[in-house]
Amino acid sequence: MRQWLRRSRLLRAVRFLPYSIPYGFWRLLVPVKADRILFLSDSHRDFAGNMAHLRDALLKIDSRADIIGVFKPNLAARRSLRDVLRLPYLIATSRVIVLDDFYPLIYRFRIRRGARLVQLWHAAGAFKRVGHSRAGLPGGPTPGSEIHRNYTDAIVSSQDIRPDYAEAFGISLDRVHAWGMPRTDVFFAPDTVATTRARVRRELGVRDDERFIVYAPTFRGNGQRSAEAAPSADWTGIAAELGEGWRIGVRQHPFVAAKGVPDGTIDASVVPDMNDLLMATDVLITDYSSAIFEFALLERPILFFVPDLADYTAARSFYRPFDHYSVGPVVADDAELADAIRDAAVDEARLSTFREEFCSALDGRSSERIARELLGVAS
């Protein structure tokens, strides 16, 4: 059934009739409320990440702003009857609507004159292809797909990646703005980084004198509904080979169902906020995850464990060649991981170039800058 929905515009239109009909009704009868800002997500239960930081910045500038959030934890979760009934009215009457991920319900709506539909994408940088950039790839959009195209604004982490997101969302370049990412502001507060690092390591049982290694890959598959775990490594054996003074944490992508972690490692998924975990981490091991962009702000070593690089490139692809992102060693065989971890270091010149390309708008003031833009308040 899902495949039929993806391929048929008519079926998608029918599916969303309970929302589109009342939306059209409210558009005709009720004006946009100038102070209403609506946050929508099908990826988390409440304000989190970019949305939480932006909400706080909005209220700091204008405490009277009418901020409303409507959430559900994932695409498969059923929407409550209350939300089914109120969403068309809220969407029709909000001056600003903020998304942070794929949101199927909104794409068939014509956004009202004077209102804004803002995509505050959850990932920094431009790494694996998303949206219309995946046309022709497995799981990519069908020809003529309307997804993403009605955004009035998209917010990204640097000037250089604006064309990538214009392509991904099927919108003009002038609608893509390098205003930064609210959740990265904390990385520019040294006291916050230090206290968070100490707290998280204490909660995980990692001593101050131990080097904490975190394996945090992205998912495999086409999206939230089909996500599978990344290829495994012998983390138990690697932990034993590293020996005293080293600890390994494992955190699969949130889309992947939890199945426990290998013996001798720490379940890093118990830390709900990825930012907090990154602050506690000494060396990040990942693959194609956008976590590299946030971790680059900490100027700590990154390793890339990519045993399936050729397959992933063919199925998902990247905005640039993979070696453009590899600011640290690339390992395909887990037998080489222990030595790579011991030798992990930062190439400062390479990292500086990387940050300029992908993170130039990240400066610790993203939340305030975006809030002022959306409220129409001068800096």
Side-chain angles (χ1 to χ4, degrees):
M1 180 62 181
R2 194 173 301 132
Q3 288 300 319
W4 284 102
L5 280 172
R6 289 187 70 248
R7 295 171 183 169
S8 171
R9 298 190 70 172
L10 176 61
L11 286 179
R12 291 197 299 275
V14 171
R15 176 191 178 191
F16 292 117
L17 281 178
Y19 302 95
S20 58
I21 291 176
Y23 173 74
F25 174 80
W26 290 120
R27 284 185 79 227
L28 291 174
L29 295 184
V30 182
V32 170
K33 295 183 179 295
D35 62 345
R36 176 164 291 165
I37 302 173
L38 177 64
F39 288 79
L40 302 174
S41 179
D42 285 349
S43 300
H44 42 84
R45 298 178 184 277
D46 203 345
F47 285 95
N50 285 327
M51 286 189 168
H53 289 278
L54 179 56
R55 174 203 58 190
D56 294 346
L58 289 164
L59 289 173
K60 186 175 181 180
I61 296 170
D62 183 1
S63 60
R64 297 171 298 177
D66 179 20
I67 295 179
I68 300 170
V70 180
F71 308 107
K72 63 189 183 87
N74 53 64
L75 287 170
R78 287 188 176 277
R79 206 178 301 281
S80 70
L81 178 60
R82 175 174 181 259
D83 286 347
V84 171
L85 295 175
R86 69 175 179 152
L87 263 174
Y89 174 78
L90 292 175
I91 294 172
T93 58
S94 296
R95 188 180 64 81
V96 177
I97 304 161
V98 181
L99 314 176
D100 65 353
D101 206 337
F102 180 63
Y103 197 80
L105 168 61
I106 203 78
Y107 300 130
R108 299 199 59 81
F109 289 2
R110 177 180 291 181
I111 303 307
R112 299 183 69 171
R113 186 184 301 274
R116 300 171 78 169
L117 178 60
V118 180
Q119 177 57 262
L120 181 59
W121 195 247
H122 58 280
F127 199 166
K128 55 183 179 284
R129 290 182 176 271
V130 298
H132 294 282
S133 298
R134 297 182 66 195
L137 293 171
T142 56
S145 171
E146 70 273 15
I147 62 169
H148 302 303
R149 297 186 187 276
N150 58 347
Y151 302 150
T152 62
D153 306 90
I155 301 173
V156 299
S157 61
S158 78
Q159 285 287 345
D160 287 353
I161 64 174
R162 290 176 59 232
D164 302 313
Y165 279 86
E167 175 189 278
F169 298 146
I171 61 179
S172 59
L173 185 62
D174 63 295
R175 286 193 258 169
V176 184
H177 315 292
W179 293 340
M181 291 192 71
R183 76 163 187 262
T184 65
D185 289 347
V186 293
F187 290 104
F188 296 87
D191 290 345
T192 299
V193 172
T195 57
T196 302
R197 174 183 172 85
R199 173 181 59 79
V200 172
R201 290 169 73 97
R202 183 171 61 251
E203 292 171 354
L204 295 176
V206 179
R207 300 194 310 264
D208 291 344
D209 62 341
E210 291 178 314
R211 297 271 285 167
F212 186 38
I213 317 304
V214 170
Y215 175 53
T218 192
F219 65 93
R220 301 301 187 271
N222 295 326
Q224 192 180 120
R225 295 178 184 272
S226 62
E228 298 178 355
S232 182
D234 180 15
W235 297 112
T236 301
I238 293 167
E241 187 175 349
L242 289 171
E244 182 68 21
W246 300 85
R247 302 293 299 280
I248 295 177
V250 176
R251 178 192 177 109
Q252 289 288 349
H253 192 277
F255 286 177
V256 177
K259 294 182 179 179
V261 296
D263 293 341
T265 68
I266 295 170
D267 184 0
S269 67
V270 300
V271 182
D273 191 314
M274 187 62 177
N275 274 2
D276 291 357
L277 181 62
L278 293 179
M279 292 178 193
T281 300
D282 295 302
V283 179
L284 176 67
I285 303 176
T286 189
D287 46 13
Y288 323 110
S289 169
S290 65
I292 61 172
F293 303 110
E294 285 94 333
F295 200 70
L297 301 177
L298 294 169
E299 300 182 344
R300 299 174 190 169
I302 303 174
L303 303 182
F304 294 81
F305 178 53
V306 288
D308 63 343
L309 177 58
D311 290 341
Y312 193 93
T313 302
R316 187 69 186 246
S317 191
F318 312 106
Y319 284 101
R320 289 143 180 73
F322 180 74
D323 59 9
H324 203 87
Y325 303 96
S326 52
V327 291
V330 178
V331 178
D333 185 344
D334 66 350
E336 302 173 7
L337 275 171
D339 287 341
I341 290 169
R342 290 192 192 97
D343 296 338
V346 174
D347 181 334
E348 293 184 3
R350 174 77 178 87
L351 185 64
S352 177
T353 301
F354 178 84
R355 286 180 54 167
E356 178 61 29
E357 180 171 3
F358 295 109
C359 308
S360 62
L362 307 182
D363 57 4
R365 298 187 294 275
S366 298
S367 300
E368 180 183 358
R369 179 164 50 248
I370 296 168
R372 288 187 177 280
E373 291 282 355
L374 297 184
L375 289 171
V377 177
S379 302

